[in-house]
Amino acid sequence: MRIIIVFFTIFLFASTDVSAQKKLFKEYRSECARLYDIEIIKPKGFKPIDKMVAFRVNERRNIGSFYRVALESGNKYCLILYPFFIKNSPHNIAKNMAYGEVKAALNLAPEEGEDMSMNQVDGKFVLARRKKRDDNERVIKFDTAHYMRVIAEDDMEKYFNADTVYVYDVPLLKPYKGIYKECIGINMVKRGHPSGMMKVLFMEGCDAKDKYLEHIFKSIRYSAIAPDYN
């Protein structure tokens, strides 16, 4: 009898946990549909594990965000942090945050007496150091095109149905949760809609990143017509 009771208790806790996980994602999906007319589809093989997740690409730098819900792949190779959508935020913030997080992830900061500035060289954005009150650039620190991909095609059907998507791939100075060593940031914007910033984290040696990203690009879909927020 005692064995049966213990088994039933374990089964009850497991069932409650699964139910709570499903409810967590269902609430997020309903919220996005109701407030923003954004469709959310759970990628196959992922399960919700947490909500209101704080994450920074560099724990020593004051740049980061909260994420609405976290989904983990069954093999734990991939963790997705889904965004809070911000409806009153200028879309250039999504672009600036993308470049800012790349700089933070690479631990780039101006030295005393210097400024970091962003310039465009041969159609590519680059960060450069220069002395304060001095217009002469000293050292181009890195070419952001090495880390950043800007997607703005005629047909964005397979990229959230957004207008522009910023995708950046950076290593983490400290593994997130002691497991995930690589971060892919995805910032999406669409005219008349709220912008969103999400993160996709990978274990070292994951060889299915492209497959995961393909599913993730299809997991959020902006509507063709902007909602009437009035």
Side-chain angles (χ1 to χ4, degrees), residues 136-166:
N136 296 321
E137 294 177 3
R138 292 209 306 153
V139 180
I140 292 181
K141 193 62 182 179
F142 72 97
D143 181 353
T144 55
H146 179 72
Y147 302 93
M148 181 80 65
R149 179 186 176 196
V150 182
I151 305 172
E153 302 176 358
D154 292 336
D155 184 4
M156 294 290 285
E157 236 350 90
K158 57 184 179 181
Y159 298 110
F160 310 121
N161 198 36
D163 291 337
T164 307
V165 178
Y166 301 90

Side-chain angles (χ1 to χ4, degrees), residues 168-179:
Y168 48 102
D169 189 342
V170 291
L172 296 178
L173 296 175
K174 179 181 178 181
Y176 183 65
K177 294 185 178 294
I179 299 175

Side-chain angles (χ1 to χ4, degrees), residues 6-22:
V6 171
F7 174 80
F8 178 76
T9 303
I10 294 173
F11 175 78
L12 180 62
F13 280 142
S15 299
T16 302
D17 186 54
V18 171
S19 176
Q21 289 173 349
K22 289 182 178 180

Side-chain angles (χ1 to χ4, degrees), residues 65-223:
S65 182
F66 279 90
Y67 296 84
R68 179 64 175 78
V69 62
L71 268 67
E72 184 181 65
S73 63
N75 55 19
K76 300 186 185 299
Y77 283 170
C78 179
L79 181 72
I80 309 173
L81 304 181
Y82 275 91
F84 281 95
F85 287 97
I86 307 172
K87 67 180 180 181
N88 294 321
S89 174
H91 285 174
N92 63 354
I93 288 181
K95 179 181 76 172
N96 294 339
M97 278 292 290
Y99 287 106
E101 288 195 313
V102 170
K103 185 174 73 171
L106 299 177
N107 211 26
L108 295 176
E111 297 176 0
E112 187 176 355
E114 292 183 333
D115 284 325
M116 292 293 293
S117 62
M118 187 182 299
N119 299 308
Q120 195 167 10
V121 179
D122 297 329
K124 298 178 181 179
F125 285 102
V126 298
L127 284 175
R129 290 185 187 274
R130 63 187 177 190
K131 292 181 179 179
K132 291 182 179 179
R133 298 179 299 276
D134 185 353
D135 292 333
N136 296 321
E137 294 177 3
R138 292 209 306 153
V139 180
I140 292 181
K141 193 62 182 179
F142 72 97
D143 181 353
T144 55
H146 179 72
Y147 302 93
M148 181 80 65
R149 179 186 176 196
V150 182
I151 305 172
E153 302 176 358
D154 292 336
D155 184 4
M156 294 290 285
E157 236 350 90
K158 57 184 179 181
Y159 298 110
F160 310 121
N161 198 36
D163 291 337
T164 307
V165 178
Y166 301 90
V167 182
Y168 48 102
D169 189 342
V170 291
L172 296 178
L173 296 175
K174 179 181 178 181
Y176 183 65
K177 294 185 178 294
I179 299 175
Y180 301 101
K181 296 187 175 183
E182 182 179 0
C183 172
I184 294 182
I186 304 174
N187 293 7
M188 62 203 84
V189 296
K190 188 175 179 69
R191 184 179 179 84
H193 294 72
S195 59
M197 300 183 294
M198 65 189 300
K199 297 291 183 293
V200 188
L201 308 177
F202 293 102
M203 289 180 60
E204 187 176 25
C206 178
D207 58 0
K209 291 188 294 184
D210 290 342
K211 182 186 76 173
Y212 283 128
L213 286 176
E214 184 179 346
H215 289 305
I216 290 164
F217 284 138
K218 295 177 181 177
S219 71
I220 297 175
R221 181 173 177 80
Y222 280 107
S223 59

